[in-house]
Amino acid sequence: MKNSIVPASPFRDAAPAIPGTTDIAPLDLTPQPINEEEEGGGGGAKLRRYWAAIKRFRWLIVILAAIGTIAGVVATRYIDPVYEARGALWIADVGTGNNSGAYRPPELLPNGSWVQLIRSFAVVDKVVAQERLWVKGKTWRDSVALAGIAPTPRTIPGDYTLWSDSAKGTYSLQEATKGIFEHGHLGDSVGKSVGFAWAPTAASLQGDNQVRFTVTQPRSVGVGLIGRLDVAMQENSNFLTLTLTGAEKWQTAELLNVWMQQFLTTAAELR
């Protein structure tokens, strides 16, 4: 039997772990010292970190600030501002029969027609003529001398020069590139052959012997003007809202006021 005894191995298998047991480190309950800065809220430490970051990237901050300043100067000098003038019109509802001042019954002139009317040439041509958007003097004195000039359907665009002789009471009108030449007496119709409705006097010309101005086709000016106007009218709404854009704020506001007044005048004529 002694030969059947198997000697024990020097490397015994590890004892199986008991389920549910793990090695747990002992809990350290020793009180830790509190940092005075953390106890006070840590504000000083945060400020020091911020200041260190600023010092570290100071040149980057300076360069970015300089780039932003230069970009702002360039934008103000070379980029033209665009202004908006806004207005609203109340279109009275005459369907109830109580609003006697309305222009047309709703069934004859629905909301979409009001939008078309204010953008029509029946209104826009009057705005262009009243504000003299189709003619521009070379100088402010020339612009003053052009008071009273009005366009006609036969207006011919071009660069014109008007010579006047107050002593003799005569004038000469010339457009060099088109070979147009006209002369007559002051007080008569000036520029009738080129589509002007204008009868300046020697007093209205304020003694100017020469008036230079540029004429643009009024209808083309009106087309550009319509493109700057945004009109909106919600369904079943009485408000017609208008937004006009332009490069000069006061002129844009005045132009929108004139446009709204001409719309009211034209709408009243259609009653």
Side-chain angles (χ1 to χ4, degrees):
M1 295 295 296
K2 66 180 180 179
N3 294 331
S4 64
I5 299 174
V6 180
S9 173
F11 304 99
R12 295 187 178 183
D13 295 335
I18 300 174
T21 61
T22 56
D23 294 335
I24 301 176
L27 182 61
D28 187 6
L29 300 178
T30 305
Q32 300 294 330
I34 299 177
N35 193 334
E36 295 180 357
E37 294 180 351
E38 294 180 355
E39 184 178 5
K46 291 182 180 180
L47 290 177
R48 282 198 298 271
R49 287 196 297 270
Y50 294 155
W51 179 246
I54 293 174
K55 291 175 62 178
R56 182 178 180 181
F57 299 103
R58 60 184 181 275
W59 292 115
L60 178 61
I61 296 173
V62 171
I63 292 174
L64 292 177
I67 293 175
T69 303
I70 294 174
V73 172
V74 172
T76 55
R77 290 179 177 271
Y78 299 100
I79 299 178
D80 295 330
V82 178
Y83 299 95
E84 285 188 355
R86 299 181 181 180
L89 291 170
W90 171 268
I91 307 299
D93 185 2
V94 297
T96 60
N98 295 327
N99 298 322
S100 59
Y103 306 118
R104 296 291 291 274
E107 61 271 11
L108 297 180
L109 200 58
N111 289 3
S113 297
W114 293 115
V115 176
Q116 294 176 5
L117 177 60
I118 200 169
R119 294 172 63 92
S120 68
F121 290 111
V123 176
V124 176
D125 287 345
K126 297 178 182 178
V127 176
V128 173
Q130 180 175 340
E131 292 297 296
R132 290 187 297 173
L133 301 177
W134 60 282
V135 59
K136 183 177 181 181
K138 296 297 183 180
T139 65
W140 69 269
R141 292 180 63 89
D142 295 336
S143 299
V144 172
L146 291 171
I149 191 171
T152 67
R154 299 183 298 104
T155 299
I156 300 176
D159 293 323
Y160 291 87
T161 303
L162 174 68
W163 288 278
S164 61
D165 188 342
S166 57
K168 297 180 180 181
T170 59
Y171 77 88
S172 297
L173 180 67
Q174 181 180 8
E175 209 292 324
T177 59
K178 295 181 175 61
I180 299 173
F181 188 82
E182 177 185 299
H183 61 86
H185 295 278
L186 292 175
D188 296 339
S189 181
V190 175
K192 185 176 181 179
S193 61
V194 291
F196 299 165
W198 189 26
T201 62
S204 64
L205 295 177
Q206 299 183 354
D208 290 340
N209 295 325
Q210 183 180 20
V211 179
R212 296 179 301 161
F213 56 97
T214 300
V215 172
T216 307
Q217 179 55 241
R219 182 54 58 88
S220 63
V221 176
V223 171
L225 200 59
I226 293 174
R228 293 163 48 190
L229 180 69
D230 183 27
V231 187
M233 189 174 190
Q234 300 296 329
E235 189 69 22
N236 299 323
S237 173
N238 294 86
F239 281 105
L240 184 68
T241 58
L242 312 172
T243 303
L244 181 66
T245 58
E248 298 181 8
K249 55 183 179 181
W250 300 118
Q251 183 186 35
T252 304
E254 179 184 358
L255 188 58
L256 182 60
N257 289 330
V258 172
W259 201 327
M260 295 168 66
Q261 185 59 47
Q262 290 295 344
F263 167 77
L264 295 175
T265 302
T266 304
E269 294 172 355
L270 297 176
R271 292 175 56 181

